[in-house]
Amino acid sequence: MIIKSVNLETVCGITSKLPDNAYPEVAFAGRSNVGKSSLINALMNRKSLARISSQPGKTQTINYYNVNDAIYFVDLPGYGYARVSESVKAQWGKMIENYLRRSKQLRTVFLLVDIRHAPTKNDVVMYDWICRNGYQPVIIATKLDKIKRSQIQSQIKLIKTTLDASKETLIIPFSAQTKQGREEIYEVIETFLGTEGPQ
């Protein structure tokens, strides 16, 4: 996938109406500090278009990036950050659920988890949420450069077991540092270019 143009086209807050986009959408979900902005920047081949913060929980909106005037990368609010109030967490949850239920162009959801650890309770809830809304999540196991090569398969097995994921669930290890895994993610995204209706 060659990135020719990228534009942050729409930012939706809690009360915003979701845009009626003409192009397919792929969404990115993950808990705060899992490396979601770093992944999106790596995929868009930009250093800092998706804001990376030392303060987790910064993404409080749904951000739509128009890529190549062909597809949208949709950055969903990070979840599970302890230092925000329960009411704010509930609002973020409503935003994500509303998007999953109402987006007409959503093709798949990439769920990011940290490869170093078992998925959290919030990760499991999000995985189930995505499945209940009719999508088969693609798992991206971030921070690949933080573990030894010999640990990769056992960590993938731990992720799959904790999420109670089906055998068909695709898990792609990814490193924002080395960009390992980026081509595999591009391959998944390219299957949705020019497609009609949810997959």
Side-chain angles (χ1 to χ4, degrees), residues 11-14 18 27-34 36-37 40 56-64 74-81 84 88-100 109-112 122-123 126 129:
V11 176
C12 288
I14 291 162
L18 296 177
F28 299 86
R31 63 182 175 81
S32 300
N33 214 23
V34 76
K36 188 156 52 66
S37 296
I40 293 172
K58 270 292 189 184
T59 305
Q60 300 177 19
T61 52
I62 299 176
N63 299 331
Y64 292 77
V74 182
D75 185 7
L76 299 175
Y79 56 82
Y81 184 50
V84 296
V88 170
K89 287 180 189 176
Q91 287 178 322
W92 292 354
K94 285 180 184 176
M95 287 173 68
I96 295 170
E97 187 170 32
N98 182 53
Y99 173 75
L100 292 176
V109 182
F110 292 99
L111 176 60
L112 281 65
N122 284 318
D123 293 328
M126 180 57 67
W129 235 10

Side-chain angles (χ1 to χ4, degrees), residues 131-151:
C131 292
R132 281 207 308 272
N133 279 283
Y135 299 95
Q136 176 60 61
V138 175
I139 309 302
I140 299 178
T142 62
K143 305 183 189 282
L144 176 60
D145 51 285
K146 305 288 187 186
I147 66 170
K148 296 175 182 176
R149 188 182 293 267
S150 60
Q151 297 175 291

Side-chain angles (χ1 to χ4, degrees), residues 2-181:
I2 299 170
I3 306 299
K4 297 176 182 175
S5 64
V6 177
N7 176 38
L8 175 56
E9 191 170 285
T10 310
V11 176
C12 288
I14 291 162
T15 59
S16 304
K17 185 176 181 292
L18 296 177
D20 189 12
N21 289 326
Y23 303 130
E25 298 168 8
V26 293
F28 299 86
R31 63 182 175 81
S32 300
N33 214 23
V34 76
K36 188 156 52 66
S37 296
S38 297
L39 167 72
I40 293 172
N41 282 326
L43 292 175
M44 296 190 301
N45 217 15
R46 301 293 189 273
K47 284 191 175 177
S48 57
L49 193 56
R51 286 171 296 178
I52 300 170
S53 175
S54 57
Q55 292 178 279
K58 270 292 189 184
T59 305
Q60 300 177 19
T61 52
I62 299 176
N63 299 331
Y64 292 77
Y65 296 92
N66 180 331
V67 179
N68 293 347
D69 284 326
I71 195 165
Y72 286 94
F73 291 0
V74 182
D75 185 7
L76 299 175
Y79 56 82
Y81 184 50
R83 290 189 193 172
V84 296
S85 67
E86 291 302 317
S87 62
V88 170
K89 287 180 189 176
Q91 287 178 322
W92 292 354
K94 285 180 184 176
M95 287 173 68
I96 295 170
E97 187 170 32
N98 182 53
Y99 173 75
L100 292 176
R101 287 182 173 175
R102 296 178 182 270
S103 173
K104 296 174 183 176
Q105 293 288 5
L106 179 60
R107 298 298 187 262
T108 198
V109 182
F110 292 99
L111 176 60
L112 281 65
V113 298
D114 189 329
I115 198 169
R116 298 173 296 178
H117 313 293
T120 65
K121 287 181 180 178
N122 284 318
D123 293 328
V124 175
V125 168
M126 180 57 67
Y127 179 83
D128 290 341
W129 235 10
I130 296 166
C131 292
R132 281 207 308 272
N133 279 283
Y135 299 95
Q136 176 60 61
V138 175
I139 309 302
I140 299 178
T142 62
K143 305 183 189 282
L144 176 60
D145 51 285
K146 305 288 187 186
I147 66 170
K148 296 175 182 176
R149 188 182 293 267
S150 60
Q151 297 175 291
I152 295 173
Q153 289 309 314
S154 62
Q155 291 304 109
I156 288 175
K157 186 176 181 182
L158 177 63
I159 290 167
K160 194 167 268 193
T161 301
T162 307
L163 294 175
D164 195 20
S166 66
K167 288 183 180 179
E168 296 76 35
T169 300
L170 181 61
I171 299 181
I172 303 173
F174 174 78
S175 167
Q177 298 295 321
T178 67
K179 308 298 186 288
Q180 185 176 339

